[in-house]
Amino acid sequence: MTLLADPYASGVLKKEHHERLVADLESFARDAGIQPHWIWSQLPDDMTGSQLAYLRQFRKHASEGTSGLIILGKNDKGLVEAHMSAMAGALVRNFIRARVMTLGTVIDLLAKQEMPDLTCLLIPNFFLTASETGTIAPWQVNSLFDYLTYRQVAGLQTILYATDLGLLGKEYGLAFKRHIEVHYMQAKF
């Protein structure tokens, strides 16, 4: 597929650093679960300071005991998906294997034991209130908790979105909530 835009035009990508990335941009974007333009686009102006700080310090988090970032609040303007795509694009252009995946896809891949080896996993619908989505089965909650614990121990990063951490604790359990409170940075919309 031929790109309709010049990926260097925004100034985000530099030919001397990103030529290999641009040569296979479609594949990198497909692997990340995002559209190619997110790789060469600047981060959105409406991203929070916490989100930006998390990205700036990304390579230090595992050694400092941070397993990821949880973004909390109402997604009234539909920004979560765009922010996560932009974050994944920023990570990819810094040669970090990141992918945006829905919770359903993660659960399906866990059940098949086919989860890819990702440095950063971004889940834009990790926990939504019951009125926004259905609930997941207890075995799925256990599988998710096991997986997040595995990622934490392995020093891998995970970025989650949840409408409310308290409600997440009621639905997924206090141990799950505690794990996120202890090991994840928090950003609010």
PDB file of all heavy atoms in Angstrom, residues 15 18 26-28 35 48 59 72 74 80 82 84 100 119 121 127 135 138 142 149 156 168 170 179 183:
ATOM      1  N   LYS A  15      14.527  11.169   9.102  1.00  0.00           N
ATOM      2  CA  LYS A  15      14.987  10.164   8.144  1.00  0.00           C
ATOM      3  C   LYS A  15      16.187   9.380   8.666  1.00  0.00           C
ATOM      4  O   LYS A  15      16.238   8.156   8.537  1.00  0.00           O
ATOM      5  CB  LYS A  15      15.308  10.820   6.805  1.00  0.00           C
ATOM      6  CG  LYS A  15      15.546   9.809   5.711  1.00  0.00           C
ATOM      7  CD  LYS A  15      15.528  10.442   4.345  1.00  0.00           C
ATOM      8  CE  LYS A  15      15.630   9.321   3.334  1.00  0.00           C
ATOM      9  NZ  LYS A  15      14.842   9.511   2.170  1.00  0.00           N
ATOM     10  N   HIS A  18      14.601   7.051  11.461  1.00  0.00           N
ATOM     11  CA  HIS A  18      13.369   6.302  11.240  1.00  0.00           C
ATOM     12  C   HIS A  18      13.214   5.707   9.836  1.00  0.00           C
ATOM     13  O   HIS A  18      12.146   5.218   9.495  1.00  0.00           O
ATOM     14  CB  HIS A  18      12.162   7.197  11.547  1.00  0.00           C
ATOM     15  CG  HIS A  18      12.101   7.637  12.965  1.00  0.00           C
ATOM     16  ND1 HIS A  18      12.460   8.915  13.349  1.00  0.00           N
ATOM     17  CD2 HIS A  18      11.760   6.978  14.090  1.00  0.00           C
ATOM     18  CE1 HIS A  18      12.319   9.025  14.659  1.00  0.00           C
ATOM     19  NE2 HIS A  18      11.897   7.867  15.132  1.00  0.00           N
ATOM     20  N   GLU A  26       3.507   0.323   7.208  1.00  0.00           N
ATOM     21  CA  GLU A  26       2.222  -0.394   7.262  1.00  0.00           C
ATOM     22  C   GLU A  26       2.309  -1.600   8.192  1.00  0.00           C
ATOM     23  O   GLU A  26       1.400  -1.853   8.979  1.00  0.00           O
ATOM     24  CB  GLU A  26       1.787  -0.839   5.861  1.00  0.00           C
ATOM     25  CG  GLU A  26       1.439   0.300   4.932  1.00  0.00           C
ATOM     26  CD  GLU A  26       0.122   0.970   5.269  1.00  0.00           C
ATOM     27  OE1 GLU A  26      -0.783   0.316   5.809  1.00  0.00           O
ATOM     28  OE2 GLU A  26       0.007   2.178   4.993  1.00  0.00           O
ATOM     29  N   SER A  27       3.392  -2.340   8.128  1.00  0.00           N
ATOM     30  CA  SER A  27       3.548  -3.523   8.988  1.00  0.00           C
ATOM     31  C   SER A  27       3.700  -3.128  10.451  1.00  0.00           C
ATOM     32  O   SER A  27       3.124  -3.779  11.327  1.00  0.00           O
ATOM     33  CB  SER A  27       4.768  -4.342   8.553  1.00  0.00           C
ATOM     34  OG  SER A  27       4.548  -4.892   7.284  1.00  0.00           O
ATOM     35  N   PHE A  28       4.474  -2.077  10.708  1.00  0.00           N
ATOM     36  CA  PHE A  28       4.627  -1.615  12.088  1.00  0.00           C
ATOM     37  C   PHE A  28       3.281  -1.152  12.654  1.00  0.00           C
ATOM     38  O   PHE A  28       2.943  -1.446  13.797  1.00  0.00           O
ATOM     39  CB  PHE A  28       5.662  -0.481  12.184  1.00  0.00           C
ATOM     40  CG  PHE A  28       7.076  -0.960  12.189  1.00  0.00           C
ATOM     41  CD1 PHE A  28       7.847  -0.895  11.038  1.00  0.00           C
ATOM     42  CD2 PHE A  28       7.651  -1.474  13.341  1.00  0.00           C
ATOM     43  CE1 PHE A  28       9.164  -1.336  11.031  1.00  0.00           C
ATOM     44  CE2 PHE A  28       8.963  -1.919  13.353  1.00  0.00           C
ATOM     45  CZ  PHE A  28       9.722  -1.857  12.184  1.00  0.00           C
ATOM     46  N   GLN A  35      -3.587   2.972  13.107  1.00  0.00           N
ATOM     47  CA  GLN A  35      -3.423   3.485  11.756  1.00  0.00           C
ATOM     48  C   GLN A  35      -2.019   4.090  11.630  1.00  0.00           C
ATOM     49  O   GLN A  35      -1.473   4.623  12.609  1.00  0.00           O
ATOM     50  CB  GLN A  35      -4.481   4.530  11.455  1.00  0.00           C
ATOM     51  CG  GLN A  35      -5.886   3.976  11.468  1.00  0.00           C
ATOM     52  CD  GLN A  35      -6.937   5.061  11.302  1.00  0.00           C
ATOM     53  OE1 GLN A  35      -6.632   6.214  11.029  1.00  0.00           O
ATOM     54  NE2 GLN A  35      -8.193   4.674  11.494  1.00  0.00           N
ATOM     55  N   THR A  48      -3.117  14.416  28.956  1.00  0.00           N
ATOM     56  CA  THR A  48      -2.835  14.935  30.291  1.00  0.00           C
ATOM     57  C   THR A  48      -1.333  14.928  30.570  1.00  0.00           C
ATOM     58  O   THR A  48      -0.569  14.190  29.951  1.00  0.00           O
ATOM     59  CB  THR A  48      -3.538  14.092  31.373  1.00  0.00           C
ATOM     60  OG1 THR A  48      -2.960  12.781  31.390  1.00  0.00           O
ATOM     61  CG2 THR A  48      -5.042  13.992  31.124  1.00  0.00           C
ATOM     62  N   ARG A  59      11.088   4.076  29.567  1.00  0.00           N
ATOM     63  CA  ARG A  59      12.153   3.071  29.711  1.00  0.00           C
ATOM     64  C   ARG A  59      12.624   2.896  31.156  1.00  0.00           C
ATOM     65  O   ARG A  59      13.302   1.920  31.460  1.00  0.00           O
ATOM     66  CB  ARG A  59      13.322   3.411  28.806  1.00  0.00           C
ATOM     67  CG  ARG A  59      12.960   3.314  27.325  1.00  0.00           C
ATOM     68  CD  ARG A  59      14.178   3.471  26.441  1.00  0.00           C
ATOM     69  NE  ARG A  59      13.843   3.686  25.060  1.00  0.00           N
ATOM     70  CZ  ARG A  59      13.590   2.730  24.164  1.00  0.00           C
ATOM     71  NH1 ARG A  59      13.609   1.479  24.539  1.00  0.00           N
ATOM     72  NH2 ARG A  59      13.306   3.025  22.920  1.00  0.00           N
ATOM     73  N   LEU A  72      -8.153   7.006  34.194  1.00  0.00           N
ATOM     74  CA  LEU A  72      -9.448   6.904  34.869  1.00  0.00           C
ATOM     75  C   LEU A  72     -10.345   8.081  34.510  1.00  0.00           C
ATOM     76  O   LEU A  72      -9.873   9.194  34.315  1.00  0.00           O
ATOM     77  CB  LEU A  72      -9.240   6.884  36.386  1.00  0.00           C
ATOM     78  CG  LEU A  72      -8.412   5.726  36.932  1.00  0.00           C
ATOM     79  CD1 LEU A  72      -7.947   6.018  38.347  1.00  0.00           C
ATOM     80  CD2 LEU A  72      -9.217   4.448  36.874  1.00  0.00           C
ATOM     81  N   LYS A  74     -14.458   9.508  32.909  1.00  0.00           N
ATOM     82  CA  LYS A  74     -15.468   9.353  31.855  1.00  0.00           C
ATOM     83  C   LYS A  74     -14.833   9.624  30.497  1.00  0.00           C
ATOM     84  O   LYS A  74     -14.082  10.574  30.330  1.00  0.00           O
ATOM     85  CB  LYS A  74     -16.625  10.327  32.080  1.00  0.00           C
ATOM     86  CG  LYS A  74     -17.407  10.063  33.342  1.00  0.00           C
ATOM     87  CD  LYS A  74     -18.455   9.032  33.089  1.00  0.00           C
ATOM     88  CE  LYS A  74     -19.337   8.906  34.321  1.00  0.00           C
ATOM     89  NZ  LYS A  74     -19.813   7.575  34.514  1.00  0.00           N
ATOM     90  N   VAL A  80     -10.172   8.325  24.773  1.00  0.00           N
ATOM     91  CA  VAL A  80      -9.331   7.210  25.214  1.00  0.00           C
ATOM     92  C   VAL A  80      -8.721   6.484  24.019  1.00  0.00           C
ATOM     93  O   VAL A  80      -7.511   6.222  23.991  1.00  0.00           O
ATOM     94  CB  VAL A  80     -10.120   6.224  26.099  1.00  0.00           C
ATOM     95  CG1 VAL A  80      -9.357   4.935  26.302  1.00  0.00           C
ATOM     96  CG2 VAL A  80     -10.422   6.853  27.433  1.00  0.00           C
ATOM     97  N   ALA A  82      -8.210   7.496  20.932  1.00  0.00           N
ATOM     98  CA  ALA A  82      -7.238   8.344  20.233  1.00  0.00           C
ATOM     99  C   ALA A  82      -5.959   8.492  21.052  1.00  0.00           C
ATOM    100  O   ALA A  82      -4.851   8.409  20.509  1.00  0.00           O
ATOM    101  CB  ALA A  82      -7.842   9.715  19.934  1.00  0.00           C
ATOM    102  N   MET A  84      -4.732   6.426  23.302  1.00  0.00           N
ATOM    103  CA  MET A  84      -3.980   5.172  23.318  1.00  0.00           C
ATOM    104  C   MET A  84      -3.318   4.907  21.968  1.00  0.00           C
ATOM    105  O   MET A  84      -2.183   4.430  21.919  1.00  0.00           O
ATOM    106  CB  MET A  84      -4.860   4.012  23.755  1.00  0.00           C
ATOM    107  CG  MET A  84      -5.149   4.066  25.236  1.00  0.00           C
ATOM    108  SD  MET A  84      -5.438   2.439  25.880  1.00  0.00           S
ATOM    109  CE  MET A  84      -5.775   2.805  27.597  1.00  0.00           C
ATOM    110  N   VAL A 100      -2.245  -1.788  20.696  1.00  0.00           N
ATOM    111  CA  VAL A 100      -3.571  -1.488  21.234  1.00  0.00           C
ATOM    112  C   VAL A 100      -4.449  -2.696  20.946  1.00  0.00           C
ATOM    113  O   VAL A 100      -4.548  -3.146  19.799  1.00  0.00           O
ATOM    114  CB  VAL A 100      -4.170  -0.221  20.581  1.00  0.00           C
ATOM    115  CG1 VAL A 100      -5.576   0.040  21.113  1.00  0.00           C
ATOM    116  CG2 VAL A 100      -3.267   0.989  20.803  1.00  0.00           C
ATOM    117  N   THR A 119       6.175  -5.320  24.581  1.00  0.00           N
ATOM    118  CA  THR A 119       6.788  -4.518  25.627  1.00  0.00           C
ATOM    119  C   THR A 119       5.731  -3.667  26.313  1.00  0.00           C
ATOM    120  O   THR A 119       5.791  -3.447  27.516  1.00  0.00           O
ATOM    121  CB  THR A 119       7.899  -3.623  25.035  1.00  0.00           C
ATOM    122  OG1 THR A 119       8.827  -4.460  24.357  1.00  0.00           O
ATOM    123  CG2 THR A 119       8.611  -2.845  26.114  1.00  0.00           C
ATOM    124  N   LEU A 121       1.402  -3.150  26.294  1.00  0.00           N
ATOM    125  CA  LEU A 121       0.051  -3.498  25.867  1.00  0.00           C
ATOM    126  C   LEU A 121      -0.880  -2.377  26.313  1.00  0.00           C
ATOM    127  O   LEU A 121      -0.835  -1.956  27.470  1.00  0.00           O
ATOM    128  CB  LEU A 121      -0.380  -4.822  26.510  1.00  0.00           C
ATOM    129  CG  LEU A 121      -1.830  -5.232  26.336  1.00  0.00           C
ATOM    130  CD1 LEU A 121      -2.161  -5.469  24.863  1.00  0.00           C
ATOM    131  CD2 LEU A 121      -2.121  -6.485  27.154  1.00  0.00           C
ATOM    132  N   PHE A 127     -11.864  -1.604  31.758  1.00  0.00           N
ATOM    133  CA  PHE A 127     -13.013  -1.704  32.657  1.00  0.00           C
ATOM    134  C   PHE A 127     -13.958  -0.550  32.393  1.00  0.00           C
ATOM    135  O   PHE A 127     -13.607   0.614  32.572  1.00  0.00           O
ATOM    136  CB  PHE A 127     -12.602  -1.686  34.137  1.00  0.00           C
ATOM    137  CG  PHE A 127     -13.801  -1.738  35.045  1.00  0.00           C
ATOM    138  CD1 PHE A 127     -14.460  -2.934  35.268  1.00  0.00           C
ATOM    139  CD2 PHE A 127     -14.306  -0.584  35.617  1.00  0.00           C
ATOM    140  CE1 PHE A 127     -15.596  -2.981  36.061  1.00  0.00           C
ATOM    141  CE2 PHE A 127     -15.438  -0.617  36.419  1.00  0.00           C
ATOM    142  CZ  PHE A 127     -16.079  -1.827  36.645  1.00  0.00           C
ATOM    143  N   THR A 135     -20.542  -7.802  31.772  1.00  0.00           N
ATOM    144  CA  THR A 135     -19.530  -8.219  32.742  1.00  0.00           C
ATOM    145  C   THR A 135     -18.755  -9.403  32.164  1.00  0.00           C
ATOM    146  O   THR A 135     -19.189 -10.048  31.213  1.00  0.00           O
ATOM    147  CB  THR A 135     -20.194  -8.629  34.071  1.00  0.00           C
ATOM    148  OG1 THR A 135     -21.126  -9.681  33.817  1.00  0.00           O
ATOM    149  CG2 THR A 135     -20.917  -7.454  34.703  1.00  0.00           C
ATOM    150  N   PRO A 138     -15.899 -14.900  36.053  1.00  0.00           N
ATOM    151  CA  PRO A 138     -14.843 -14.962  37.075  1.00  0.00           C
ATOM    152  C   PRO A 138     -13.543 -15.594  36.580  1.00  0.00           C
ATOM    153  O   PRO A 138     -12.458 -15.145  36.927  1.00  0.00           O
ATOM    154  CB  PRO A 138     -15.478 -15.808  38.183  1.00  0.00           C
ATOM    155  CG  PRO A 138     -16.948 -15.576  38.039  1.00  0.00           C
ATOM    156  CD  PRO A 138     -17.174 -15.436  36.543  1.00  0.00           C
ATOM    157  N   ASN A 142      -9.780 -13.913  36.677  1.00  0.00           N
ATOM    158  CA  ASN A 142      -8.581 -14.596  37.179  1.00  0.00           C
ATOM    159  C   ASN A 142      -7.485 -14.657  36.118  1.00  0.00           C
ATOM    160  O   ASN A 142      -6.307 -14.439  36.415  1.00  0.00           O
ATOM    161  CB  ASN A 142      -8.922 -16.016  37.656  1.00  0.00           C
ATOM    162  CG  ASN A 142      -9.745 -16.001  38.918  1.00  0.00           C
ATOM    163  OD1 ASN A 142      -9.725 -15.044  39.681  1.00  0.00           O
ATOM    164  ND2 ASN A 142     -10.496 -17.065  39.139  1.00  0.00           N
ATOM    165  N   THR A 149      -0.161  -9.797  36.418  1.00  0.00           N
ATOM    166  CA  THR A 149       0.895 -10.141  37.366  1.00  0.00           C
ATOM    167  C   THR A 149       2.125 -10.645  36.624  1.00  0.00           C
ATOM    168  O   THR A 149       3.258 -10.250  36.938  1.00  0.00           O
ATOM    169  CB  THR A 149       0.402 -11.186  38.383  1.00  0.00           C
ATOM    170  OG1 THR A 149      -0.733 -10.651  39.068  1.00  0.00           O
ATOM    171  CG2 THR A 149       1.472 -11.531  39.392  1.00  0.00           C
ATOM    172  N   LEU A 156       7.257  -5.771  32.019  1.00  0.00           N
ATOM    173  CA  LEU A 156       6.562  -5.267  30.837  1.00  0.00           C
ATOM    174  C   LEU A 156       5.528  -4.229  31.263  1.00  0.00           C
ATOM    175  O   LEU A 156       4.987  -4.291  32.363  1.00  0.00           O
ATOM    176  CB  LEU A 156       5.895  -6.428  30.097  1.00  0.00           C
ATOM    177  CG  LEU A 156       6.851  -7.538  29.647  1.00  0.00           C
ATOM    178  CD1 LEU A 156       6.072  -8.729  29.131  1.00  0.00           C
ATOM    179  CD2 LEU A 156       7.829  -7.016  28.612  1.00  0.00           C
ATOM    180  N   LEU A 168     -14.176  -0.892  39.584  1.00  0.00           N
ATOM    181  CA  LEU A 168     -13.343  -1.984  39.101  1.00  0.00           C
ATOM    182  C   LEU A 168     -13.075  -2.960  40.242  1.00  0.00           C
ATOM    183  O   LEU A 168     -13.157  -4.166  40.066  1.00  0.00           O
ATOM    184  CB  LEU A 168     -12.025  -1.442  38.532  1.00  0.00           C
ATOM    185  CG  LEU A 168     -11.044  -2.466  37.977  1.00  0.00           C
ATOM    186  CD1 LEU A 168     -10.271  -1.873  36.805  1.00  0.00           C
ATOM    187  CD2 LEU A 168     -10.060  -2.955  39.015  1.00  0.00           C
ATOM    188  N   LYS A 170     -14.926  -3.526  42.852  1.00  0.00           N
ATOM    189  CA  LYS A 170     -16.149  -4.272  43.173  1.00  0.00           C
ATOM    190  C   LYS A 170     -16.405  -5.379  42.162  1.00  0.00           C
ATOM    191  O   LYS A 170     -16.871  -6.458  42.516  1.00  0.00           O
ATOM    192  CB  LYS A 170     -17.347  -3.324  43.217  1.00  0.00           C
ATOM    193  CG  LYS A 170     -17.341  -2.427  44.429  1.00  0.00           C
ATOM    194  CD  LYS A 170     -18.540  -1.506  44.432  1.00  0.00           C
ATOM    195  CE  LYS A 170     -18.455  -0.573  45.640  1.00  0.00           C
ATOM    196  NZ  LYS A 170     -19.525   0.413  45.628  1.00  0.00           N
ATOM    197  N   HIS A 179      -3.610  -4.408  43.246  1.00  0.00           N
ATOM    198  CA  HIS A 179      -2.497  -4.595  42.308  1.00  0.00           C
ATOM    199  C   HIS A 179      -2.312  -3.344  41.450  1.00  0.00           C
ATOM    200  O   HIS A 179      -1.189  -2.862  41.261  1.00  0.00           O
ATOM    201  CB  HIS A 179      -2.756  -5.819  41.421  1.00  0.00           C
ATOM    202  CG  HIS A 179      -1.728  -6.025  40.355  1.00  0.00           C
ATOM    203  ND1 HIS A 179      -0.510  -6.628  40.594  1.00  0.00           N
ATOM    204  CD2 HIS A 179      -1.727  -5.688  39.035  1.00  0.00           C
ATOM    205  CE1 HIS A 179       0.191  -6.659  39.483  1.00  0.00           C
ATOM    206  NE2 HIS A 179      -0.520  -6.105  38.522  1.00  0.00           N
ATOM    207  N   HIS A 183       0.986  -0.874  41.640  1.00  0.00           N
ATOM    208  CA  HIS A 183       1.951  -1.021  40.558  1.00  0.00           C
ATOM    209  C   HIS A 183       1.750  -0.094  39.362  1.00  0.00           C
ATOM    210  O   HIS A 183       2.604  -0.084  38.467  1.00  0.00           O
ATOM    211  CB  HIS A 183       1.962  -2.471  40.064  1.00  0.00           C
ATOM    212  CG  HIS A 183       2.368  -3.440  41.129  1.00  0.00           C
ATOM    213  ND1 HIS A 183       3.663  -3.543  41.582  1.00  0.00           N
ATOM    214  CD2 HIS A 183       1.643  -4.330  41.844  1.00  0.00           C
ATOM    215  CE1 HIS A 183       3.725  -4.455  42.521  1.00  0.00           C
ATOM    216  NE2 HIS A 183       2.514  -4.953  42.709  1.00  0.00           N
TER     217      HIS A 183
END
